[in-house]
Amino acid sequence: MTQDFQLVSLTGLILEDQTELSLADLCRACAAQADRIIEMVNEGVLAPAGHAPDDWRFTGQHLHRARVALRLQSDLGVNLAGAALALELLDELDSLRSRVQRLEATGR
């Protein structure tokens, strides 16, 4: 009796908050054109360090936000302003969850 084994190759990207990505790096990681990322910055979805696109530096958190915004646009047809609002609401939800956990931990 023979067993067939299938090898699965996984690729991923692990970034720390201190990791800095250039605009080109972020575009590659998101499979997005630079103009889409620039639109996100202009809309306030992303707030990179630096003054101009060539100087911008993004973090792992920016990468996550960009991917969520792109997915909202492609999967749900949400425009960029709607994606920005959804991300803001998700941030608020995370903040409230953290606050509830802290309150529960202190017994209040």
Side-chain angles (χ1 to χ4, degrees), residues 85-97:
L85 176 61
L87 284 164
E88 187 177 320
L89 293 172
L90 288 170
D91 289 344
E92 183 67 22
L93 182 60
D94 286 342
S95 174
L96 291 171
R97 284 181 178 153

Side-chain angles (χ1 to χ4, degrees), residues 13-21 29 58-61 63:
L13 190 60
I14 299 174
L15 297 174
E16 297 180 13
D17 287 337
Q18 297 81 16
T19 301
E20 289 189 346
L21 301 170
F58 299 91
T59 65
Q61 183 64 29
L63 172 60

Side-chain angles (χ1 to χ4, degrees), residues 20 25-26 28 35 48 64 71 79 82 91 103 105:
E20 289 189 346
D25 294 335
L26 186 65
R28 275 191 299 279
D35 59 339
H64 174 73
R71 186 141 188 218
N79 65 17
D91 289 344
L103 290 172

Side-chain angles (χ1 to χ4, degrees), residues 10-89:
L10 297 175
T11 59
L13 190 60
I14 299 174
L15 297 174
E16 297 180 13
D17 287 337
Q18 297 81 16
T19 301
E20 289 189 346
L21 301 170
S22 67
L23 177 59
D25 294 335
L26 186 65
C27 289
R28 275 191 299 279
C30 293
Q33 297 295 322
D35 59 339
R36 302 265 325 259
I37 302 299
I38 291 169
E39 288 174 4
M40 287 185 205
V41 172
N42 291 337
E43 189 65 39
V45 172
L46 303 175
H51 298 290
D54 290 338
D55 299 326
W56 285 346
R57 293 294 173 254
F58 299 91
T59 65
Q61 183 64 29
H62 290 117
L63 172 60
H64 174 73
R65 290 178 67 81
R67 285 181 171 170
V68 170
L70 290 166
R71 186 141 188 218
L72 285 169
Q73 290 178 299
S74 67
D75 292 357
L76 300 177
V78 175
N79 65 17
L80 191 52
L85 176 61
L87 284 164
E88 187 177 320
L89 293 172

